[in-house]
Amino acid sequence: MLRGVIQCLHLNLDQMATTPLPRCSPPHVMVMSPVFFHYTITLRSYKLQKSMSSLKVREGEADFNVTGADKPCKTWYKVYGTLPHPHNPPLVVLHGGPGSSHEYLDILSELTRLFDVPVIVYDQLGNGRSTHLPEKNGDVDFWTVQLFVDELHNLLNHLNIHDNYNLLGQSWGGMLASEFATRQPKGLGKLVIADSPASAPLWVKAVNELRKELPREVQDVLDKHEAADTTTDPEYIAAINEFHKRHMCRLDPMPQSLLDGLAWMEKDPTVHSTMIGPNEFYITGSLRTWSVVDRLHNIQATTLLINGRYDEAQDIVVEPFFQRIPKVRWVQFADSAHVPQLEETERFMQVVWAFLRG
């Protein structure tokens, strides 16, 4: 793995916003310095700003005409801040899974609170507060990447922002965002791909390398239940959780917002089981052969790549983005796994804001 050869570049974030990043050796990895720029000098001032600022929030639903669905469908969304905004394009946020929901990304409303960036989160079809279609469980012809690309276009049109917006996709959301960006959609300004693979086979390779670092007894439990096809057994779930403590989120306890987002995959497993399968170690669903690698050169938007040092999205799965997207930067968070927006919130907001305003 590349983790052992990470080069730390201690950069001022104002410089990051205005200066093209050098392709250093290794060319794609930065660990941001703990020096904080003038927006939030200390954690105390950061919390004070949060408590003193007011935040405009509204929720809504966008009608979504879905071919093959036997009922009306809606996409639920939430808007933080003023829309339209006189200066800052909105940041549309795509959650992971597939099959999770938006809750663990509500923290990105800090970009609104601190920097007046409108932020839009939404639950993708089949997830959270959007329309559920359990009758489509196992229908790989229905649950396609194109379905979610169409849903995103529909939401942008509903909100009347398709002429000027930025995207941030996390995990599966970054896979979806990269697919979307390869089609060179109108209005896309900047793109953030966070904790995401450029290829499902690369993802499987990376997480199985991490799996080898688990205690032997945990690996034995995983092997036993996968061989017996008993991956819903509580013993197996407990072993998966041991992996997640190391490579999904290193906070203890895990934030409630993350647990809430993941809980939807148990409440309605339709999307996750159809597109992924039992878990990330062996993808059996419709995404098992997915790759965007050969189309990344089509992305015209300036792109920021993010992952954590301990991330499930190891360097090997992120590197194709860096090598093939023409205008790209890569920031790695030294103390994070798969959710740096929760594990290193203050630094995450600074990095994203510096990129968006640059």
Side-chain angles (χ1 to χ4, degrees):
M1 308 306 294
L2 297 175
R3 286 184 295 162
V5 291
I6 292 173
Q7 178 180 5
C8 298
L9 302 181
H10 298 288
L11 299 180
N12 178 284
L13 288 172
D14 282 323
Q15 292 176 329
M16 176 185 165
T18 57
T19 305
L21 296 183
R23 290 182 178 253
C24 52
S25 178
H28 53 282
V29 180
M30 296 195 310
V31 181
M32 294 305 298
S33 166
V35 176
F36 300 137
F37 66 111
H38 63 276
Y39 289 101
T40 48
I41 304 301
T42 64
L43 182 59
R44 180 178 299 174
S45 66
Y46 174 78
K47 290 180 177 179
L48 180 62
Q49 283 177 294
K50 285 167 57 178
S51 63
M52 291 180 65
S53 60
S54 60
L55 192 61
K56 181 180 178 181
V57 183
R58 67 179 175 92
E59 299 179 8
E61 293 179 326
D63 292 333
F64 181 31
N65 185 18
V66 182
T67 301
D70 297 326
K71 58 187 177 185
C73 295
K74 295 180 182 294
T75 301
W76 176 92
Y77 63 87
K78 184 191 298 183
V79 178
Y80 291 99
T82 301
L83 195 67
H85 192 281
H87 307 296
N88 294 326
L91 179 67
V92 182
V93 179
L94 286 60
H95 66 70
S100 182
S101 54
H102 78 282
E103 285 88 350
Y104 74 106
L105 294 169
D106 273 327
I107 190 68
L108 292 175
S109 64
E110 290 304 302
L111 293 169
T112 312
R113 199 184 304 271
L114 294 172
F115 309 121
D116 201 25
V117 176
V119 170
I120 300 161
V121 296
Y122 72 101
D123 287 338
Q124 296 157 23
L125 186 69
N127 307 298
R129 303 184 193 181
S130 293
T131 303
H132 287 251
L133 297 161
E135 64 274 15
K136 294 294 185 180
N137 194 3
D139 189 344
V140 295
D141 293 326
F142 181 83
W143 297 110
T144 63
V145 173
Q146 186 61 49
L147 172 68
F148 295 104
V149 168
D150 292 343
E151 182 182 33
L152 179 53
H153 278 297
N154 184 73
L155 180 64
L156 295 172
N157 287 328
H158 174 83
L159 295 171
N160 198 28
I161 59 173
H162 216 316
D163 290 331
N164 189 20
Y165 59 95
N166 300 315
L167 284 184
L168 185 152
Q170 197 278 333
S171 195
W172 146 251
M175 297 162 67
L176 175 58
S178 67
E179 279 274 4
F180 187 82
T182 62
R183 288 96 183 278
Q184 301 176 2
K186 71 170 185 175
L188 176 58
K190 293 189 174 182
L191 174 65
V192 182
I193 300 174
D195 318 287
S196 307
S199 156
L202 278 179
W203 173 275
V204 172
K205 179 180 179 180
V207 296
N208 277 287
E209 286 298 315
L210 292 175
R211 173 173 167 154
K212 295 176 183 177
E213 300 174 7
L214 293 171
R216 183 68 258 172
E217 60 271 20
V218 176
Q219 295 185 54
D220 289 343
V221 170
L222 294 172
D223 292 341
K224 178 181 72 174
H225 287 288
E226 288 168 2
D229 196 23
T230 52
T231 55
T232 59
D233 188 284
E235 185 184 39
Y236 184 81
I237 300 302
I240 290 290
N241 287 339
E242 286 301 314
F243 179 84
H244 287 165
K245 289 176 184 178
R246 292 165 170 79
H247 301 297
M248 176 178 287
C249 181
R250 297 171 69 85
L251 298 177
D252 186 16
M254 285 193 182
Q256 189 60 47
S257 62
L258 179 58
L259 297 176
D260 290 343
L262 295 174
W264 278 106
M265 289 193 284
E266 293 185 17
K267 295 176 185 176
D268 184 354
T270 300
V271 181
H272 189 265
S273 63
T274 304
M275 299 186 75
I276 296 293
N279 57 59
E280 57 263 62
F281 294 131
Y282 62 114
I283 298 176
T284 59
S286 60
L287 287 177
R288 65 187 179 278
T289 60
W290 176 87
S291 175
V292 75
V293 172
D294 291 342
R295 289 169 284 136
L296 291 173
H297 64 278
N298 292 322
I299 295 180
Q300 295 179 338
T302 302
T303 302
L304 171 65
L305 307 174
I306 289 172
N307 73 332
R309 181 182 178 187
Y310 306 100
D311 207 327
E312 297 173 284
Q314 289 283 285
D315 295 350
I316 188 176
V317 310
V318 181
E319 189 164 8
F321 289 126
F322 185 82
Q323 297 295 344
R324 293 173 181 254
I325 296 176
K327 295 176 287 185
V328 65
R329 305 172 179 182
W330 187 346
V331 177
Q332 185 176 87
F333 286 77
D335 298 319
S336 290
H338 195 54
V339 285
Q341 76 276 9
L342 298 175
E343 296 166 288
E344 296 181 70
T345 301
E346 185 173 3
R347 194 176 303 178
F348 186 94
M349 301 307 159
Q350 294 169 354
V351 167
V352 172
W353 168 239
F355 171 72
L356 293 177
R357 74 189 180 95

